[in-house]
Amino acid sequence: MARAKDREAVRDLLKTHGRTYADEADIRLKDTPQPLYRLLVLANLLSARIRSDIALATARALAEAGLRGPRQMAKATWQQRVDALGRGGYRRYDERTSTQLGEGAERLIEDYGGDLRRLRKAADGDIDELRGGLLRTPGLGPVGADIFLREVQGVWPEVAPYLDSKAQEGARRAGLPEDPKALARLADDTGADPATFAAALVRAGLEPSKG
């Protein structure tokens, strides 16, 4: 059983930072093709060296442009994708990202019929296999794969607990144990949703240092 002090710290953390990035991007995440694809795109956007609020706004702009699924993304012209990225403020990387989004959509259609649930099924609970499949996506490096897995663990239970180095750094900053097993026990003890807990830890790690 976790210490009362740690449980209280988790509750405070969730009160302050308890919102997933998918939720902030207006993605109602569930185990269906479109939300999962939108999460993949969001992970790609968030993994670049650009402010998270711009990445989130851009994910919403792509959705508003009708680019919610891999077929719509692949069918759109390069310029249409650039324009949507620009409306979200994603201008520094817009040209390269437009190309990557088009190529990534085509790869997803080719490999999994546009449905990330097929990747999940092929991985059969092997997280390394799942991560490797994600890394085949053009433009989605290790950071992006970690973002996707942190967020998807709420709907793909076999991924949980997924607490990578970013989440562990947030735990340290919040005065919580950094060990993933200890953090997982804390989440269980407090009834925290694993994806929300991981996102809260990451957000805590990104806060400016006090003093």
Side-chain angles (χ1 to χ4, degrees), residues 12 70 148:
D12 289 343
F148 182 91

Side-chain angles (χ1 to χ4, degrees), residues 8 11 38 47 76 86 98 134 147 159 161 188 203:
E8 186 61 31
R11 294 187 187 99
R38 290 183 63 196
S47 65
S98 174
L134 291 168
I147 293 169
V159 176
D188 284 342
R203 291 177 190 275

Side-chain angles (χ1 to χ4, degrees), residues 9-21 150-151 153 163 166-167 169-171 173-174 176 192-207:
V10 169
R11 294 187 187 99
D12 289 343
L13 181 74
L14 292 171
K15 189 180 297 183
T16 304
H17 297 296
R19 189 181 188 190
T20 65
Y21 287 94
R150 285 199 310 260
E151 295 276 313
Q153 63 185 318
L163 297 160
K166 292 284 188 183
E169 170 62 17
R173 293 277 300 275
L176 294 169
D193 170 75
T196 304
F197 182 47
L201 289 170
V202 171
R203 291 177 190 275
L206 294 173
E207 279 194 323

Side-chain angles (χ1 to χ4, degrees), residues 25-124:
D26 295 335
I27 300 171
R28 292 187 178 184
L29 193 57
K30 52 186 177 179
D31 190 27
T32 54
Q34 190 177 102
L36 291 170
Y37 175 69
R38 290 183 63 196
L39 176 61
L40 185 69
V41 170
L42 176 62
N44 188 321
L45 298 173
L46 282 168
S47 65
R49 292 183 177 181
I50 199 163
R51 293 203 323 265
S52 63
D53 59 330
I54 293 176
L56 291 160
T58 302
R60 293 190 291 267
L62 287 165
E64 288 164 5
L67 307 181
R68 293 170 171 263
R71 287 179 173 80
Q72 293 98 320
M73 189 69 78
K75 187 178 179 180
T77 66
W78 180 83
Q79 189 61 52
Q80 285 172 330
R81 292 192 296 266
V82 166
D83 290 346
L85 290 163
R87 285 194 292 275
Y90 209 85
R91 295 183 179 87
R92 184 177 174 187
Y93 302 102
D94 55 354
E95 296 185 357
R96 184 182 69 184
T97 301
S98 174
T99 299
Q100 290 173 343
L101 289 175
E103 292 175 349
E106 291 170 0
R107 173 69 61 81
L108 182 58
I109 293 166
E110 179 182 334
D111 289 354
Y112 303 109
D115 188 346
L116 282 162
R117 295 177 302 178
R118 295 186 183 181
L119 169 58
R120 179 191 185 188
K121 184 177 180 180
D124 193 26

